[in-house]
Amino acid sequence: MHNRGKGMPTILQIVPLIVVLLCATIQMVAQDAGGMSDVALRRLQTRMDELRSQMIQIQAELDAMRGQNKLPNSAKDAKPVPEPLQTGTIERTMSPLPPSAQLSPEQQRMAVSKQTADYETFSEDPEAAARLYNAPLEATYPGFFVLPGTQIMLRINGRLRTDLIFDPRPAGVADAFVPSSIPILQGSSTNNVNVAIRDSRLSTDFRVPVSGWGTARTFMQFDFFGSNGATTPRLRHFYVQLHNILLGQTFTNFMDPDASADSLDSQGPNSDLSVRPPQARYSFPFGRGMSGSVSVEQPNSDIRFSQNGSAAVSITPAPDGALKFRYEGERGHIQVSSVFRELAVHLPDGWPQESAFGWGVNASGAVRVYVRDNIVYQVAYGNGISRYVRDVQGLGLDAAPRAETDLTLKALPLFAPYFSYQHHWTRSVRSTATFGFVQLQNTAFQPSNTYHKSTYSSGNVIWNAMGGLDFGAEFLYGWVEQKDGAKANAPRIQFSGSYSFVRLHTAD
């Protein structure tokens, strides 16, 4: 028995060994459990992050759906944030639009027809036009974004433009085609090349909600047509429109910016009406696509003559007043407007003040005739409206004395029509042909070299390379005649490139 006990470990020897092994095992298990706990926590945290991301995405989709249901049908076509952006222009990526921006489908149609929204011009003048209810040109509000923490919408837009102009012989104004400036006695033909950027522009467009009124629009735009050929910034538009009440400087109520010709020339047709006076205007709907507006505008008696070597001084006894009636249909619009003026001068040498009543009527419009082709036109006639017509602005031809022995002031009759046809060869290539005519009835008092009439012709091809990037080439031809029958003509070839920050007039 004693020998057997010596070969086997005793209980006192086994117990410490078990205790040591047990402690080691407990420590290992505790370490493994701690490691497993860390892994589980990390996994749970990852799942929580994923769930949060999914909730944010679902909430955004719900907000977008709620916002889209409140929009007119034309605005529901707004695309989600593009991935990636490939247009080369600023696009609206916010969703939904603020409630203040929402018009009923009937209000949008009354203010802007489909043809008006889709009609594309190189000048992009329709962007600046004031409209009924402050309706946007496109119901999707391209390029607008909401200022953080507000419901105020803002679009910052601009156009960088370069014109390369070649004149085979003198054509007058270097960077705008003005037939009245073509020199009558040209002498020998001399080539002239000009490169200009002065028609580049910058603009801001605010849409501010006003309780009970809808929205207030504040629009401001500059170009770089400084005086004497300089590139000094020049204010084109600066106005505010609250619902249908407008105050500030913008296109006269007498003109129709939606009927402008699609021309590369920064001047456009010689007979185009284009003035941007300070004014107060009120617009009102009639229903069924019909609306009207009335305005009181800054006067300017554009009268220039001398008597016995002394210059007469023009004065403005009363503001100009303008009325407009407009109809918007699905294929285009028709507009009839009129202006009423009081023209006056202080005669030299102690003669009494002379005045004359001026008036004008303008019928204009645009119509889609075939797929995406458009016809735009204007027919203006009146007495004493030279101030409004591009080719004779600033020439002092609103009125003149009747004869050397009769200094009674006469408002000069003027006829100014133009016609333009725009054809789309493809979705990105289009051409436009334009013809304009101006004729002024002179008095016996006026010198023999006074302007009498002119014509304007142009044809172009314009390529939308991508987004807001456009290139074009245009041939222009002008002809001018003086009161004594002396004539002159000049051609011009122009190449232009333009890049707009925001792409407008994106037709389906």
Side-chain angles (χ1 to χ4, degrees), residues 379-397:
V379 180
Y381 179 80
N383 294 344
I385 61 171
S386 296
R387 176 229 178 159
Y388 291 93
V389 179
R390 284 188 186 271
D391 205 37
V392 287
Q393 290 170 355
L395 298 184
L397 296 176

Side-chain angles (χ1 to χ4, degrees), residues 104-152:
S104 70
E106 177 60 26
Q107 288 176 321
Q108 183 69 30
R109 283 194 299 268
M110 187 178 298
V112 182
S113 68
K114 179 172 174 55
Q115 188 279 339
T116 299
D118 291 346
Y119 179 57
E120 193 166 4
T121 64
F122 201 79
S123 69
E124 297 184 348
D125 279 343
E127 174 194 14
R131 302 187 185 279
L132 198 67
Y133 304 120
N134 274 324
L137 194 60
E138 295 190 20
T140 55
Y141 288 86
F144 278 92
F145 63 92
V146 176
L147 296 179
T150 74
Q151 288 193 348
I152 298 174

Side-chain angles (χ1 to χ4, degrees), residues 362-401:
N362 179 33
S364 60
V367 59
R368 178 170 295 179
V369 292
Y370 174 72
V371 188
R372 296 180 64 198
D373 289 8
N374 296 281
I375 291 175
V376 299
Y377 60 90
Q378 170 201 287
V379 180
Y381 179 80
N383 294 344
I385 61 171
S386 296
R387 176 229 178 159
Y388 291 93
V389 179
R390 284 188 186 271
D391 205 37
V392 287
Q393 290 170 355
L395 298 184
L397 296 176
D398 273 344

Side-chain angles (χ1 to χ4, degrees), residues 438-491:
V438 176
Q439 179 166 317
L440 181 77
Q441 181 179 316
N442 306 111
T443 67
F445 175 89
Q446 292 176 296
S448 60
N449 62 351
T450 302
Y451 171 97
H452 176 53
K453 60 184 176 181
S454 67
T455 62
Y456 173 105
S457 303
S458 70
N460 63 44
V461 58
I462 299 173
W463 172 45
N464 174 226
M466 63 171 291
L469 181 62
D470 293 306
F471 297 99
E474 185 167 70
F475 176 78
L476 303 108
Y477 183 83
W479 171 80
V480 63
E481 180 179 334
Q482 295 178 164
K483 176 185 173 182
D484 61 3
K487 304 174 184 178
N489 60 76

Side-chain angles (χ1 to χ4, degrees), residues 161 262-266 432 434 456-462 472-476 492-496:
R161 171 172 170 166
D262 184 18
S263 173
L264 302 185
D265 173 35
S266 60
T432 299
T434 303
Y456 173 105
S457 303
S458 70
N460 63 44
V461 58
I462 299 173
E474 185 167 70
F475 176 78
L476 303 108
R492 170 170 288 179
I493 299 173
Q494 179 169 331
F495 301 93
S496 298

